[in-house]
């Protein structure tokens, strides 16, 4: 199970079957290059593998200037 | 994915540049993109005093950091719009960032000038963002001129610039097309304006600001739903997915081949405002008219550096100016 925290919304969900960042982006309706994927303060590229229990921040790249 | 430069684990993948970078090399990439923008367009030199317009957002704060890193003489100006919730957060983020990085900062408060955006919004019929934008541009320019800055730098990124370009093209707005670009030269009453981040996308500045530890505002402006160009941004983002690098090519192509054809058109001859002396196409400028409408007292009309509304923060903390 992967826990995803959405920013700026402040909501969260759990994803049962998700093993890469790319899958996480697809399952949450995002595209690479439109959101930052952060695990333990580290930025992840789409090819990175996720492990059950991971806690991920998904920060949408908006136009907040 | 490995860093294109040093083969360490990559943190940022950039298909637009056929690259991926580790955090250190990504910072270097951002520096180089800004250096190139400044160099290609002769934006500023080490002789210039650069005022950076700081909204408290990721782009303007990243820009201040980059310019300082590159050795330019900079100071920041933050305009406190007096919007409950949003303005105090934006101001706190700006103040703490500047004090952390040793960037001299001035804060100009709109409320004491009779231009708090909540009251303005209640009184005017135009969209608030257009009035707010006009007011900010006016005070950034006035502040720069009145305080001996030679250049005003803003944090517009590639997505801001390309979405605006597409919108202007779809309307064939020749006056705006003539003026669009990363540099607007100084003219009487206008300081030179530069956009050193124009080669960096919003995704790139978001990654940069994350790596710099810039806090993201938890309270965005409540009026921002009406902000401009989101449709064009989305269209260009879809295009970029299919054709990586297209946005930058589109913009650079316009600068190289397109802009010159609009340059001579659509210029309204400028005169100077009878109240404040700022350039305007009418007798009294938009901001002076707004202040009159808001019933702002006449004697503060030009007193933008009055001690009641201007605070400067020195590197070590905060101190009242004069
Ligand atoms: S969203 Fe509109 S009103 Fe709010 S700060 Fe931006 S320009 Fe001003
Ligand atoms: Zn590297
Ligand atoms: Zn005026």
């Amino acid at each position: 199970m992967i826990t995803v925290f959405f920013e700026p919304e402040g909501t969260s969900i759990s994803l049962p079957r998700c093993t890469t960042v790319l899958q996480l982006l697809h399952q949450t309706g995002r595209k690479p290059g439109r959101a930052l994927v952060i695990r333990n303060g580290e930025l992840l590229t789409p090819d990175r593998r996720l492990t059950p229990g991971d806690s991920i921040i998904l920060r949408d790249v908006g136009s907040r200037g | 994915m490995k860093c294109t430069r040093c083969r360490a684990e990559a943190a940022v993948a950039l298909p637009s540049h056929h690259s991926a970078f580790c955090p250190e090399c990504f910072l270097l990439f951002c520096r180089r993109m800004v250096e190139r923008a400044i160099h290609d367009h002769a934006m500023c030199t080490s002789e210039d005093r650069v005022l950076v317009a700081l909204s408290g957002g990721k782009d303007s704060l990243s820009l201040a950091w980059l310019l300082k890193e590159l050795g330019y003489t900079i100071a920041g100006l933050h305009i406190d719009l007096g919007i409950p919730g949003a303005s105090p957060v934006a101001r706190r983020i700006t103040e703490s960032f500047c004090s952390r990085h040793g960037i001299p900062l001035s804060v100009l408060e709109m409320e004491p000038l009779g231009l708090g955006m909540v009251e303005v919004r209640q009184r005017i019929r135009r969209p608030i963002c257009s009035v707010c934008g006009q007011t900010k541009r006016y005070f950034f320019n006035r502040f720069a001129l009145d305080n001996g800055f030679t250049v005003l730098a803003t944090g517009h990124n590639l997505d801001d610039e390309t979405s605006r370009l597409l919108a202007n093209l779809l309307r064939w707005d020749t006056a705006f097309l003539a003026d669009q670009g990363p540099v607007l030269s100084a003219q009487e009453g206008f300081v030179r304006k530069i956009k050193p981040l124009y080669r960096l996308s919003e995704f790139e500045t978001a990654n940069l600001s994350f790596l710099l530890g810039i806090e993201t505002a938890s309270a965005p402006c409540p009026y921002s739903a009406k902000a401009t160009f989101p449709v064009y941004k989305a269209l260009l983002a879809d295009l970029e997915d299919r054709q990586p690098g297209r946005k930058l090519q589109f913009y650079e192509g316009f600068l190289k081949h397109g802009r010159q054809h609009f340059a001579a058109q659509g210029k309204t001859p400028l005169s100077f405002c009878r109240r404040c002396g700022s350039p305007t196409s009418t007798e009294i400028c938009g901001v002076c008219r707004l202040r009159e409408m808001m019933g702002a007292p006449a004697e503060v009309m030009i007193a933008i550096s009055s001690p009641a509304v201007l605070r400067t923060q020195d590197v070590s903390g905060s101190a009242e100016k004069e």
Side-chain angles (χ1 to χ4, degrees):
Chain A
M1 195 75 89
I2 310 284
T3 312
V4 187
F5 295 91
F6 293 94
E7 287 185 3
E9 293 87 344
T11 54
S12 68
I13 56 162
S14 297
L15 295 176
R17 275 175 296 278
C18 182
T19 54
T20 66
V21 170
L22 194 60
Q23 282 176 10
L24 181 141
L25 289 167
H26 286 323
Q27 289 180 24
T28 53
R30 264 82 177 166
K31 287 182 176 167
R34 315 268 183 101
L36 306 192
V37 182
I38 304 157
R39 178 177 60 194
N40 300 329
E42 189 200 355
L43 292 168
L44 304 181
T45 52
D47 60 311
R48 290 290 288 275
R49 296 200 68 77
L50 301 174
T51 0
D54 275 353
S55 180
I56 302 287
I57 296 173
L58 197 54
R59 182 180 294 171
D60 279 318
V61 174
S63 52
R64 292 259 200 91
Chain B
M1 205 177 278
K2 298 278 173 245
C3 173
T4 314
R5 201 169 154 267
C6 76
R7 309 309 300 162
E9 184 79 66
V12 189
L14 299 177
S16 312
H17 297 275
H18 310 289
S19 310
F21 294 112
C22 71
E24 291 73 42
C25 296
F26 180 70
L27 292 183
L28 196 69
F29 162 82
C30 292
R31 279 180 63 138
R32 295 220 168 121
M33 292 295 270
V34 168
E35 262 174 330
R36 175 155 171 207
I38 292 175
H39 175 263
D40 284 3
H41 296 277
M43 288 184 177
C44 55
T45 69
S46 53
E47 308 291 300
D48 280 305
R49 284 189 69 213
V50 182
L51 181 69
V52 187
L54 295 176
S55 65
K58 62 177 173 36
D59 295 329
S60 57
L61 296 177
S62 301
L63 171 63
W65 183 87
L66 282 162
L67 290 176
K68 185 155 196 273
E69 274 285 300
L70 293 170
Y72 293 102
T73 309
I74 65 158
L77 174 64
H78 175 73
I79 295 185
D80 186 329
L81 299 165
I83 301 170
S87 296
V89 174
R91 179 172 174 165
R92 179 185 52 73
I93 291 175
T94 309
E95 286 175 340
S96 77
F97 179 85
C98 287
S99 100
R100 181 147 57 95
H101 293 283
I103 296 166
L105 173 69
S106 299
V107 176
L108 186 57
E109 294 175 354
M110 289 293 103
E111 256 174 343
L113 295 173
L115 294 178
M117 285 302 145
V118 176
E119 294 73 36
V120 170
R121 185 164 172 264
Q122 284 161 359
R123 297 281 289 276
I124 46 126
R125 275 189 226 115
R126 280 163 63 199
I128 182 63
C129 290
S130 123
V131 181
C132 178
Q134 177 187 45
T135 309
K136 286 186 284 194
R137 284 193 297 277
Y138 173 93
F139 284 108
F140 280 126
N141 185 61
R142 275 288 302 272
F143 185 89
L145 290 174
D146 290 355
N147 293 283
F149 290 94
T150 47
V151 178
L152 173 65
T154 57
H156 293 88
N157 60 43
L158 182 63
D159 294 75
D160 298 326
E161 288 300 283
T162 48
S163 55
R164 185 167 162 229
L165 174 57
L166 183 60
N168 289 337
L169 278 173
L170 291 173
R171 285 199 310 267
W172 292 111
D173 193 326
T174 50
F176 279 114
L177 287 165
D179 267 349
Q180 177 148 13
V183 180
L184 268 179
S185 353
Q187 294 175 40
E188 202 182 342
F190 285 119
V191 69
R192 186 191 328 151
K193 298 189 183 71
I194 63 170
K195 299 171 184 169
L197 296 186
Y198 89 88
R199 308 189 85 247
L200 289 174
S201 71
E202 196 135 50
F203 179 67
E204 287 155 0
T205 61
N207 280 285
L208 173 61
S209 95
F210 174 83
L211 292 172
L212 296 179
I214 294 172
E215 195 184 328
T216 43
S218 51
C221 176
Y223 315 137
S224 66
K226 303 219 170 66
T228 44
F229 308 134
V231 177
Y232 303 111
K233 273 192 185 174
L235 281 172
L236 287 162
D238 286 340
L239 186 64
E240 184 76 16
D241 284 340
R242 288 165 193 235
Q243 303 177 356
R246 180 52 88 191
K247 273 188 302 199
L248 188 55
Q249 280 170 15
F250 172 51
Y251 194 70
E252 293 283 24
F254 168 75
L255 296 179
K256 221 168 173 182
H257 308 294
R259 187 170 53 164
Q260 72 226 40
H261 301 294
F262 300 101
Q265 304 175 34
K267 289 262 174 211
T268 325
L270 282 182
S271 56
F272 295 93
C273 173
R274 284 202 349 226
R275 293 267 154 73
C276 73
S278 291
T280 171
S281 50
T282 52
E283 208 171 295
I284 296 176
C285 79
V287 171
C288 286
R289 272 182 282 139
L290 179 66
R291 296 196 57 197
E292 209 170 74
M293 204 173 98
M294 296 300 295
E299 67 269 22
V300 280
M301 280 263 177
I302 46 166
I304 71 162
S305 55
S306 95
V309 292
L310 177 70
R311 302 221 174 86
T312 62
Q313 184 184 46
D314 66 23
V315 174
S316 54
S318 58
E320 295 280 316
K321 192 185 183 188
E322 279 140 23

